[in-house]
Amino acid sequence: MSAWDSRLFGAAYDLGVEREWLARPVARLLWGADVRPLYDTLRRLADLPVGTSLLDAPCGGGVALRGLRPGQGLRYVGADLSQAMLRRTRRRAQRAGLPADVVAADLARLPFADGGFDVCVTFNGLHCVPDPAGAVGELARCLAPGGRLVGDLIVRGAGRRQDAAIAALRRLGIFGEGGTVAELRAWCAAAGLRIEHLERSGAVVAFSAV
């Protein structure tokens, strides 16, 4: 069983990510990062217009749902390999009164048609998958022309302390191959995406691409 399917690990992850007041000091301590831009991005999801189709992959415990509002009129699809995380997403959507489809899916091969979504979001996930370049390519494939990919990830190269933490999490099987800022730019370019915004704070990079 992977760490992501552990109920204890999932609860600890949700505790940290879903509570901004806790995530901010932890991110500052561990990654040297200000994560306020991530939460600003989540809040801006409430501005997406009626009829927007939104893919959240990997959805984790459904952190993107915190930015949506009942009656917004979106099509939300959450995809993740972890059944534990999918259950958390489903429960969060039910508590918030948000319609949501959750799908067991691997970012290496998403079970969606080309161009099926207006927006794809990927929060705290690209540094966990074995092939982040392939994952970006799959997310881009799922975007309609003019669609937007929005996300964040932890990158190497911010400093010795952060790189040591990344290496330790890789040994535990929590992080995957990961990459640098330059590699993120290359993944997007190879997938036919144009980066419109990229903001780095410590080891955390928030970005959007079209």
Side-chain angles (χ1 to χ4, degrees):
M1 181 178 68
S2 75
W4 296 100
D5 279 310
S6 163
R7 294 178 65 180
L8 180 61
F9 180 85
Y13 172 80
D14 282 354
L15 177 68
V17 172
E18 294 184 7
R19 290 161 176 80
E20 184 176 356
W21 63 268
L22 179 59
R24 286 170 62 178
V26 170
R28 179 67 69 183
L29 178 66
L30 187 58
W31 305 117
D34 179 358
V35 293
R36 283 178 294 183
L38 165 63
Y39 292 93
D40 290 342
T41 297
L42 291 171
R43 283 186 279 269
R44 284 195 293 271
L45 295 178
D47 298 328
L48 292 174
V50 172
T52 298
S53 53
L54 173 67
L55 173 62
D56 181 11
C59 60
V63 66
L65 290 168
R66 67 177 286 148
L68 305 181
R69 49 188 169 78
Q72 192 171 349
L74 301 184
R75 176 193 172 214
Y76 171 90
V77 178
D80 205 297
L81 266 181
S82 166
Q83 290 295 333
M85 291 299 184
L86 291 173
R87 287 192 294 270
R88 288 180 174 278
T89 296
R90 188 179 293 110
R91 287 197 297 267
R92 186 184 185 102
Q94 290 170 348
R95 288 195 302 267
L98 296 166
D101 295 324
V102 296
V103 179
D106 190 338
L107 267 176
R109 183 175 294 180
L110 292 168
F112 307 114
D114 295 0
F117 294 90
D118 302 305
V119 179
C120 291
V121 296
T122 181
F123 297 118
N124 304 322
L126 290 176
H127 50 263
C128 297
V129 299
D131 178 15
V136 170
E138 272 294 275
L139 290 165
R141 178 186 64 78
C142 293
L143 281 173
R148 179 171 283 104
L149 173 63
V150 179
D152 78 320
L153 73 158
I154 295 167
V155 296
R156 298 191 306 272
R160 290 183 179 179
R161 177 170 57 85
Q162 292 90 340
D163 285 351
I166 290 170
L169 290 167
R170 287 189 67 185
R171 289 193 293 271
L172 291 171
I174 296 170
F175 277 21
E177 180 66 24
T180 63
V181 172
E183 286 172 317
L184 170 62
R185 292 185 182 277
W187 303 336
C188 289
L193 295 168
R194 174 179 55 83
I195 291 180
E196 60 178 5
H197 175 77
L198 190 150
E199 182 175 356
R200 173 175 168 175
S201 178
V204 176
V205 171
F207 72 98
S208 63
V210 177

